[in-house]
Amino acid sequence: MPELPEVETYVRELAPELTGRAVNSAQVHWARTIAAPDAEAFPDAIVGQRFAAFGRRGKYMLLTLESGDTLIVHLRMTGKFQVKPAAAVPDKHTHVLLGLDDGRTVHFHDTRKFGRIWLVGDPAPVLARLGPEPLGDAFSAQGLAEKLAGRKAAIKALLLDQRIVAGVGNIYADEALFLAGVAPQRPGGDLSEAEVAQIRHAIRQVLARAIELRGSSLGGSSLQNYLRPGGEQGGFQTEHNVFRQTGNPCPVCGTPVVRTIIAQRSTHYCPNCQS
DNA sequence: ATAAGGCCCTGACCGC
DNA sequence: TGCGGTCAGGGCCTTA
């Protein structure tokens, strides 16, 4: 599932493909994909616009247009936003098509239909609830500790809360807690200052490494939750220590990795290394 | 205010 | 082979 490293990879790889390209046509085949303005108004609003700059906030892609408008894309679970040749045929899961002035077409493909696209003048309201960027200076150990103070929910659940830190999802929450040596079910408010600092450091470390490897691609050939804009896989899945490694030996101590459910999400950890 | 559970969606997978 | 049930989970919503 696309989390911060996967979205960052999208932004970096889309920029050279789309910068300067204009949208000549637009079709919406699943109305709920368009969060703003609405499916009916979207084509007229996007046609004629030209891609100018590419950014990211948490798991949101921010495609700035020359007009000053922003096309915001959230891939959620299975969304893919890919630039394809003119001859590429959309399938039944292709919900939005953007025809470009060079003949290619952007395909928004989303099997589960959880993904959303906004076309707005001001992206701030869409992003208003997000916590700090984990790779930025604003994500401090002290700030994280303040947000965890008094909280009784499991640290795993709190790391998935985008208001606490933006961009961490199920994969990188599990991997970061492993690197930090903290058990996922520990209440957030019970963590020591040192443990919070270790978690912050681990989040930054795992996200940076995953960006280097262009994200994590999971699943078989037919159920691929994340593929890069050109259709290639990422490379970080081979470095997962615990995520979907249930029963496999912990790379550090050899204890079998355990799977449990926290906040209705699959959670994987080493019961020996994480406490 | 926080915590917990439901909902949206489809396809893979499992047991019978 | 077919079929029903379960699981996957990000963000938002409701409920307590």
Side-chain angles (χ1 to χ4, degrees):
Chain A
M1 43 306 269
E3 305 178 22
L4 186 152
E6 290 75 25
V7 178
E8 180 65 26
T9 300
Y10 256 82
V11 167
R12 292 182 182 187
E13 297 190 354
L14 282 172
E17 296 295 324
L18 288 182
T19 299
R21 296 274 62 78
V23 178
N24 279 355
S25 65
Q27 293 174 281
V28 178
H29 296 298
W30 182 256
R32 297 188 63 168
T33 297
I34 306 298
D38 61 53
E40 202 171 328
F42 178 80
D44 280 347
I46 189 77
V47 166
Q49 302 243 34
R50 195 176 290 277
F51 293 102
F54 295 77
R56 178 193 58 72
R57 180 79 173 91
K59 304 174 194 171
Y60 294 78
M61 261 190 281
L62 308 177
L63 313 186
T64 307
L65 304 161
E66 272 186 6
S67 67
D69 286 355
T70 303
L71 188 70
I72 306 177
V73 180
H74 198 304
L75 302 171
R76 293 277 184 96
M77 292 293 298
T78 57
K80 295 170 192 71
F81 191 87
Q82 301 180 313
V83 186
K84 299 197 176 196
V89 179
D91 72 15
K92 64 175 177 175
H93 301 303
T94 304
H95 306 313
V96 179
L97 289 164
L98 303 178
L100 302 175
D101 59 351
D102 63 2
R104 294 181 300 167
T105 304
V106 174
H107 292 231
F108 182 75
H109 184 280
D110 185 15
T111 308
R112 303 280 286 281
K113 296 181 174 171
F114 288 171
R116 292 292 180 265
I117 295 174
W118 296 253
L119 177 59
V120 294
D122 177 10
V126 178
L127 310 173
R129 301 167 64 165
L130 295 177
E133 279 296 314
L135 296 175
D137 294 339
F139 183 51
S140 66
Q142 186 185 339
L144 180 59
E146 286 169 6
K147 289 190 174 180
L148 299 181
R151 298 293 299 263
K152 294 180 178 173
I155 182 61
K156 164 69 182 278
L158 295 170
L159 292 182
L160 296 178
D161 184 339
Q162 302 300 295
R163 294 168 294 186
I164 289 177
V165 57
V168 176
N170 212 34
I171 297 172
Y172 299 108
D174 281 5
E175 293 297 325
L177 288 172
F178 173 78
L179 291 183
V182 173
Q185 52 277 90
R186 291 273 303 282
D190 286 359
L191 299 174
S192 70
E193 203 171 306
E195 286 171 327
V196 173
Q198 282 161 5
I199 290 170
R200 169 191 173 268
H201 178 73
I203 289 171
R204 292 163 71 96
Q205 185 181 338
V206 73
L207 293 179
R209 177 64 179 155
I211 289 170
E212 281 181 8
L213 295 183
R214 303 190 193 90
S216 298
S217 291
L218 296 167
S221 54
S222 57
L223 182 63
Q224 191 56 263
N225 283 344
Y226 163 69
L227 291 174
R228 287 155 50 203
E232 312 91 337
Q233 294 197 355
F236 189 69
Q237 63 279 1
T238 63
E239 296 194 7
H240 290 175
N241 288 304
V242 290
F243 189 77
R244 294 197 184 168
Q245 301 300 315
T246 311
N248 292 342
C250 164
V252 172
C253 74
T255 302
V257 170
V258 170
R259 175 181 178 273
T260 186
I261 302 290
I262 294 175
Q264 288 140 293
R265 299 290 180 260
S266 267
T267 299
H268 315 77
Y269 67 103
C270 172
N272 183 50
C273 292
Q274 296 175 252
S275 55

